[in-house]
Amino acid sequence: MTAAQADLRIDLPSVADGPAIWRIAKESGTLDLNSSYSYLLWCRDFAATSAVARAEDGEPVGFVTGYVRPDAPHTLLVWQVAVDAAHRGRGLAAALLDGLTARLAADRALTTVETTVTPGNTASERLFTSYAARHGAAVTREVLFGAGLFPDGPHDPEVLYRIGPLTTPSS
């Protein structure tokens, strides 16, 4: 953790964090915003595979949500990552992702991280390719959901990033 992150704590999310996580997602300007209800459920049902960064006052300032794929129990699918605007540019998203995967790897054999990124989302592309480099893993990319599959209007394709096999982070 960098000096800029020293006042932050990475923790499990709780249901009470749902509204703040929804706000951070909404204000990100890049994430597909889910209903506030879905963030409450996520914090209840998938807290073990998600993480939140807390400021000194305990308020969430960043999060990563994910789940272990039922048909691939050694794979974490990262659903969303976002950091409050006031805390961006300090490596917090990377610290959240590293912290979450380290926590999961301590409890299970975690070999792969997957996520989807829309073309042009440079911040996410950098986050996940640098994660792969830190963990000595390859990155493969393929379109998971083409633009035509989204029934609610124009949507860019979702490109699946598959990162693995994972090794220990380099120092």
Side-chain angles (χ1 to χ4, degrees):
M1 191 170 283
T2 68
Q5 300 166 355
D7 59 340
L8 302 176
R9 179 173 47 99
I10 296 176
D11 197 6
L12 290 170
S14 70
V15 170
D17 296 324
I21 290 173
W22 177 84
R23 176 193 56 78
I24 294 166
K26 180 180 179 183
E27 293 174 356
S28 75
T30 57
L31 294 179
D32 286 340
L33 185 64
N34 298 295
S35 70
S36 57
Y37 176 71
S38 69
Y39 290 93
L40 295 170
L41 280 176
W42 201 279
C43 289
R44 185 192 78 163
D45 294 343
F46 297 103
T49 54
S50 300
V52 64
R54 298 184 188 284
E56 287 180 330
D57 63 1
E59 188 65 20
V61 296
F63 71 90
V64 58
T65 54
Y67 62 89
V68 173
R69 291 190 48 210
D71 62 341
H74 303 295
T75 300
L76 172 69
L77 185 287
V78 174
W79 182 265
Q80 291 187 319
V81 180
V83 174
D84 184 87
H87 295 273
R88 290 185 195 144
R90 303 178 192 178
L92 184 53
L96 278 161
L97 190 55
D98 286 342
L100 173 60
T101 57
R103 176 167 38 92
L104 291 176
D107 293 334
R108 70 178 69 235
L110 183 65
T111 61
T112 308
V113 171
E114 293 182 345
T115 194
T116 63
V117 178
T118 55
N121 185 337
T122 306
S124 287
E125 291 168 354
R126 287 181 182 154
L127 173 64
F128 289 101
T129 56
S130 68
Y131 174 86
R134 285 192 309 280
H135 293 271
V139 181
T140 60
R141 297 167 187 84
E142 64 183 89
V143 173
L144 182 63
F145 301 123
L149 289 176
F150 295 93
D152 55 347
H155 194 291
D156 289 332
E158 291 285 346
V159 177
L160 177 68
Y161 280 50
R162 185 174 289 117
I163 302 166
L166 300 175
T167 62
T168 56
S170 58
S171 30

